[in-house]
Amino acid sequence: EAVRLDPTFAMAYLRLAFLRYVENDAVGTRQWLDKALANRQHMGQREALFLDGAAATLDDPKTALQKFRMLSSLYPDEFRAYYNYAYFAHFDLLASEDGLAMIDGAMATQNPARSAAAYLAGLMALAANRYDDAIRHFEQAESLGNQGWLRDHAEAYLALRRPDVAARIAAKQEGKVPGEAAFESRMIEVTLPLDRGQWTEALAAARKLEVDAKDAGELARGALALATLSLRSYAPDDALRADLRRRAELLPQQMEAADSLRRRHLLFQAMALGWMAAHTGDLELARRMRALGENETLVERYPANLGMRRALDAEIALAEGKPAEAIAALADEVQPGAGTYFSRAVLMRAQRAAGNGAEAIVLAQWLAENRGRAFAEPSSLSAWQPANVIESTLALKAWSQLAAANGEAAVAETQAAAFAAAWPDDAGAALVERRDRRR
């Protein structure tokens, strides 16, 4: 209505762009953003700087953060600058600690969107494994009126291995998340059973999500398909190879027609499909997917994409019996403040394959102790969260085995007991059996 009354109202166009962004509508986001940019001359300096930051979020996250930091410095009461900085630091650059340092500016009592800021603070604290802080922020957000998306709040308790509390919180969001975001919020239906090692139940939940989202947009459907395929890649069935290839055939054409927002997600899907192919013995497909990520700025600029490309390179090397090359491929992933959760899981296996038991133990321990990051680290619309969750418990098994091989009997016994408690009654047996054969 605002732009009908005033077709030059650039900030209204920008708001419409954000509304499409949260619905994962790449085309709609770009259309409204272009209209805002076309009317930039009608903005004041404050609004123009906000628009510049918003425009950069589609393909240049570091520039976006620079613009939002400048905006917050020039206009300390611009709460959206703090929030957007924190949001894109976490979701685009995986810089949760950096986002946490900025979010306080959006927590002022004068901010009408304070509940959203509190929830984002909780999510970033979860990614930083600060469980008490995360839960406190989530509860604060709820007290300030957040009654919709609660998935991350539930997952804070899953990370603490308290599934009963997680299930109660997750139940409160049912039917309250509108639009396509509802499908991403429902990923908790997969991770609740998965974190108890109930792989069959988790796979059934993932497939149901795919069916429910059959009329959703391309990005949402692609992310849900990827999540289902990732589960199957840990215990491959006879149809997996063909299904991976069928999915892979769609990507080049989709990427050719995609703008930067969609292309970024499609690149993650391509690298992840390649990893699954390499992990299950289809090296031809793995290399074909890897080629799609060659010399791609949208891989280099987004740590989730870069980490998955490196994990793919390492998995190809492992499949070829070259663990030293796998370790080299992942060397930058373990630098301070860098790397993804999953790339460390692949590196742990590479170190183990190379006979580097001490290095593998360090990584297994890190994976087991950073479960908040496993749940809260962004990938592509949460598509890779199930794989992270699996790795966070398989790490306990690996830690026990590595400690036993290193003569650390007490540590081995403790971690074996922790694994048995996490996946009781031989839950996840198929996943463990295959991992043990391949280690």
Side-chain angles (χ1 to χ4, degrees), residues 402-417:
L402 287 161
N406 201 40
E408 302 172 26
V411 174
E413 184 178 348
T414 297
Q415 299 312 318

Side-chain angles (χ1 to χ4, degrees), residues 93-117:
L93 295 179
L94 311 187
S96 304
E97 295 279 8
D98 193 16
L100 276 170
M102 195 71 164
I103 196 64
D104 280 349
M107 299 290 285
T109 55
Q110 297 93 333
N111 183 8
R114 189 180 171 204
S115 66

Side-chain angles (χ1 to χ4, degrees), residues 159-206:
L160 292 168
R161 298 200 185 275
R162 297 180 61 185
D164 52 338
V165 181
R168 288 201 300 271
I169 293 171
K172 294 195 296 183
Q173 76 169 6
E174 291 180 7
K176 294 181 180 178
V177 181
E180 292 197 0
F183 300 113
E184 192 177 354
S185 76
R186 288 177 56 193
M187 189 63 74
I188 189 72
E189 297 172 16
V190 177
T191 50
L192 264 169
L194 183 62
D195 200 43
R196 296 292 287 165
Q198 296 164 353
W199 180 86
T200 302
E201 291 84 347
L203 181 60

Side-chain angles (χ1 to χ4, degrees), residues 32-361:
W32 291 120
L33 184 60
D34 286 347
K35 285 183 176 292
L37 289 166
N39 289 281
R40 189 178 186 278
Q41 71 273 18
H42 296 285
M43 291 178 156
Q45 179 182 349
R46 180 172 181 162
E47 293 175 329
L49 189 54
F50 186 80
L51 174 60
D52 290 343
T57 62
L58 293 183
D59 49 30
D60 191 356
K62 289 185 177 179
T63 295
L65 263 58
Q66 291 170 1
K67 298 293 185 181
F68 289 133
R69 184 180 288 279
M70 185 185 301
L71 180 59
S72 70
S73 299
L74 294 173
Y75 305 99
D77 63 339
E78 182 56 78
F79 305 122
R80 294 173 300 180
Y82 302 102
Y83 180 89
N84 282 7
Y85 182 100
Y87 181 95
F88 291 104
H90 171 74
F91 281 100
D92 286 1
L93 295 179
L94 311 187
S96 304
E97 295 279 8
D98 193 16
L100 276 170
M102 195 71 164
I103 196 64
D104 280 349
M107 299 290 285
T109 55
Q110 297 93 333
N111 183 8
R114 189 180 171 204
S115 66
Y119 195 90
L120 177 58
L123 173 57
M124 292 185 296
L126 178 58
N129 305 296
R130 302 181 191 175
Y131 303 111
D132 291 343
D133 288 343
I135 291 168
R136 175 172 56 82
H137 285 306
F138 289 139
E139 290 176 346
Q140 180 185 20
E142 192 167 348
S143 72
L144 291 169
N146 176 51
Q147 299 295 324
W149 182 299
L150 297 172
R151 194 193 89 188
D152 311 289
H153 189 180
E155 288 170 351
Y157 284 98
L158 270 188
L160 292 168
R161 298 200 185 275
R162 297 180 61 185
D164 52 338
V165 181
R168 288 201 300 271
I169 293 171
K172 294 195 296 183
Q173 76 169 6
E174 291 180 7
K176 294 181 180 178
V177 181
E180 292 197 0
F183 300 113
E184 192 177 354
S185 76
R186 288 177 56 193
M187 189 63 74
I188 189 72
E189 297 172 16
V190 177
T191 50
L192 264 169
L194 183 62
D195 200 43
R196 296 292 287 165
Q198 296 164 353
W199 180 86
T200 302
E201 291 84 347
L203 181 60
R207 283 176 163 154
K208 183 177 187 305
L209 269 179
E210 279 197 85
V211 171
D212 291 348
K214 64 182 185 301
D215 296 324
E218 175 189 284
L219 285 182
R221 287 185 284 108
L224 293 172
L226 191 66
T228 302
L229 289 168
S230 73
L231 287 172
R232 292 170 61 192
S233 74
Y234 278 85
D237 54 73
D238 292 340
L240 177 62
R241 182 187 181 100
D243 288 346
L244 287 173
R245 286 180 166 260
R246 189 175 299 110
R247 185 70 194 163
E249 290 299 325
L250 301 174
L251 287 173
Q253 184 177 357
Q254 289 177 341
M255 288 171 60
E256 185 176 348
D259 67 3
S260 58
L261 178 58
R262 281 193 302 159
R263 187 176 180 84
R264 185 219 316 179
H265 288 282
L266 291 170
L267 281 165
F268 181 90
Q269 292 181 26
M271 299 304 99
L273 279 169
W275 179 84
M276 288 185 280
H279 190 57
T280 54
D282 190 348
L283 290 181
E284 189 279 328
L285 177 59
R287 293 190 179 95
R288 185 147 44 93
M289 292 295 97
R290 173 60 176 82
L292 294 178
E294 189 68 28
N295 299 321
E296 272 283 355
T297 58
L298 293 177
V299 171
E300 303 293 339
R301 289 178 178 175
Y302 290 90
N305 288 1
L306 184 58
M308 188 55 75
R309 190 178 72 184
R310 288 169 172 167
L312 168 54
D313 288 339
E315 197 65 43
I316 290 173
L318 284 173
E320 293 175 336
K322 302 172 182 177
E325 289 187 14
I327 292 169
L330 294 168
D332 289 339
E333 287 290 291
V334 290
Q335 298 303 313
T340 65
Y341 185 92
F342 187 74
S343 63
R344 285 170 168 82
V346 177
L347 180 57
M348 187 268 290
R349 291 175 40 238
Q351 293 285 14
R352 197 174 183 183
N356 301 329
E359 292 85 350
I361 285 177

